[in-house]
Amino acid sequence: MIDENENPQIDEESEDEESQGLYEHFRVVADPGQAPLRLDKFLVDRLSGTARNRIQNAAKAGNILVNGKGEKSNYKVKPGDVVTLVLPNPPQHVDLEPENIPINVVYEDEAVLVVDKSPGMVVHPGFGNFTGTLVNALMYHLKGEKPFLVHRIDKDTSGLLLVAKTEEAQTYLAKQFFDHSIERKYRALVWGNFDEEEGTVTGNIGRSIQDRKVMAVFPDGDKGKPAVTHYRVVERFGYVSLVECVLETGRTHQIRCHMRYIKHPLFGDAVYGGDRILKGTTFTKYKQFVENCFSILPRQALHAATIGFVHPLTHKTIRFESKMPADMNAVLEKWRTYSQNRQIEEPAEELTPKEMREREKLLNLKK
């Protein structure tokens, strides 16, 4: 038997659903002398501590493959069969208290709900955040019932989050996240202009060797997990650009890490270097303008704008869209105004950060 389950522990603010412990992936190979045995019984015997009903739910949801083909619980396992399955983990917040915290539920039925999360709210308790989280709020909204998370977004990222209300729904949705068939589109304000209208960033993402709290790109593929981000320029403001990012994978801080890798860090992203002036002029008015934008938007400019998925009960694809939050919208309006007036107010001069520092030194010497 071969068990290839991997479930590393990482911090709360992440988007890699498997690494978060939201689901587990197993691969089991039947021994050469395996006697015919029901699939659910076979897996219960090999996955210690896993209840039979969880395996049966996974089979109903199409999460169990035998030799690459979906099979039900009554399939008879034969020697050499390769069994792969995705199992969502049960919620780990039994000691939490429901809290009457306002949340914006944009859709809800007996199986799922979709929340439009405000920036600044932690999704799941942990690392000192055991109150005031989205899970606390959801428990109150569900009258004490436990929500089943299928993915997360960062504390300072706003936008749409999909939540399962039953274990069966969670199991069905977990397979879609594992297969990367969930539709997820983000809007991000990033530093710099683009030569192209659209592109794709490909590069493994893993914990930085220098700083384990942040993620890094490993282009040679020697570390981390494969990650693919597609982007399209939506609006150009000269020194910054609004882009739409589509996730093909769901790695920790994927958009933030990939955008920095291609030298377009997210505006205001303190973790990945976007919270300082990276493009622009040396003019004092410009510096004041950018600092004013940072005060309006004291977080990374990232919004989960779209989510689409196959519904666990109807098996039909549904999708939801979220408007830009007030803080991002205010900063975008300021950049629109600035970019329109820039040609009149000051020369169209763009300097690198190093050139800006050198120019600043010269100006100080002349004072």
Side-chain angles (χ1 to χ4, degrees), residues 41 54 56 88 106 133 141 143 190 230 246 296 336 361:
K41 181 66 167 58
R54 289 185 65 209
Q56 290 174 337
V106 298
T133 73
H141 176 80
K143 297 178 171 56
V190 304
H230 305 285
V246 178
I296 295 172
R336 288 187 185 104
K361 289 180 181 177

Side-chain angles (χ1 to χ4, degrees), residues 26 28 75 122 125 131 134 146 153 163 176 190 206 229 242 266 295 313-314 352-353 355 357:
F26 298 89
V28 183
Y75 171 85
V122 172
T131 61
L134 181 62
K146 302 180 184 68
I153 56 179
V163 181
Q176 295 180 58
V190 304
T229 304
L242 179 65
L266 268 62
S295 66
L313 299 181
T314 67
T352 66
E355 290 172 334
R357 289 192 296 270

Side-chain angles (χ1 to χ4, degrees), residues 6-271:
E6 293 184 0
N7 187 23
Q9 297 297 314
I10 64 168
D11 61 81
E12 188 278 333
E13 296 183 20
S14 59
E15 297 173 353
D16 188 339
E17 290 78 33
E18 187 172 8
S19 293
Q20 293 167 6
L22 295 182
Y23 62 71
E24 297 175 291
H25 178 233
F26 298 89
R27 181 178 184 272
V28 183
V29 180
D31 297 328
Q34 174 67 50
L37 185 66
R38 278 179 59 105
L39 179 59
D40 53 357
K41 181 66 167 58
F42 171 81
L43 289 172
V44 167
D45 290 345
R46 279 151 180 80
L47 305 181
S48 60
T50 303
R52 190 166 183 170
N53 71 306
R54 289 185 65 209
I55 291 172
Q56 290 174 337
N57 285 336
K60 290 177 184 177
N63 291 20
I64 302 181
L65 305 180
V66 180
N67 304 322
K69 179 184 176 184
E71 297 290 355
K72 298 302 181 184
S73 296
N74 60 358
Y75 171 85
K76 295 297 178 65
V77 177
K78 300 182 295 296
D81 277 349
V82 179
V83 183
T84 58
L85 70 154
V86 176
L87 285 178
N89 285 328
Q92 303 294 318
H93 40 261
V94 291
D95 296 329
L96 295 181
E97 294 293 329
E99 295 182 48
N100 186 7
I101 303 170
I103 53 175
N104 182 14
V105 178
V106 298
Y107 176 82
E108 183 175 9
D109 58 30
E110 64 270 33
V112 301
L113 59 83
V114 178
V115 178
D116 198 340
K117 187 184 83 68
S118 301
M121 175 178 272
V122 172
V123 171
H124 191 279
F127 296 93
N129 297 301
F130 292 102
T131 61
T133 73
L134 181 62
V135 169
N136 295 106
L138 286 170
M139 289 178 67
Y140 183 89
H141 176 80
L142 298 172
K143 297 178 171 56
E145 295 295 322
K146 302 180 184 68
F148 294 80
L149 296 181
V150 290
H151 71 127
R152 301 175 188 171
I153 56 179
D154 293 350
K155 170 187 174 183
D156 290 327
T157 298
S158 57
L160 298 174
L161 189 82
L162 173 62
V163 181
K165 294 175 65 176
T166 66
E167 185 177 343
E168 292 80 5
Q170 182 198 31
T171 302
Y172 190 86
L173 294 169
K175 182 65 161 52
Q176 295 180 58
F177 277 97
F178 180 76
D179 291 338
H180 308 303
S181 60
I182 296 282
E183 178 189 0
R184 284 185 285 182
K185 293 181 180 179
Y186 290 73
R187 290 291 177 97
L189 183 65
V190 304
W191 280 105
N193 204 351
F194 291 79
D195 295 331
E196 67 283 356
E197 292 299 322
E198 58 186 34
T200 298
V201 187
T202 303
N204 280 20
I205 291 179
R207 292 286 165 184
S208 169
I209 299 172
Q210 289 77 24
D211 184 355
R212 298 291 294 173
K213 294 181 180 180
V214 302
M215 309 305 291
V217 174
F218 298 92
D220 295 332
D222 54 334
K223 295 181 179 64
K225 294 183 179 181
V228 180
T229 304
H230 305 285
Y231 65 88
R232 177 179 64 87
V233 179
V234 177
E235 202 168 351
R236 299 173 184 269
F237 305 111
Y239 301 143
V240 297
S241 303
L242 179 65
V243 296
E244 178 182 81
C245 296
V246 178
L247 295 181
E248 190 171 308
T249 53
R251 306 306 178 199
T252 304
H253 297 175
Q254 179 170 321
I255 293 173
R256 300 165 66 186
C257 186
H258 267 174
M259 287 294 106
R260 183 184 68 168
Y261 176 65
I262 62 171
K263 296 180 172 47
H264 292 285
L266 268 62
F267 187 83
D269 192 341
V271 174

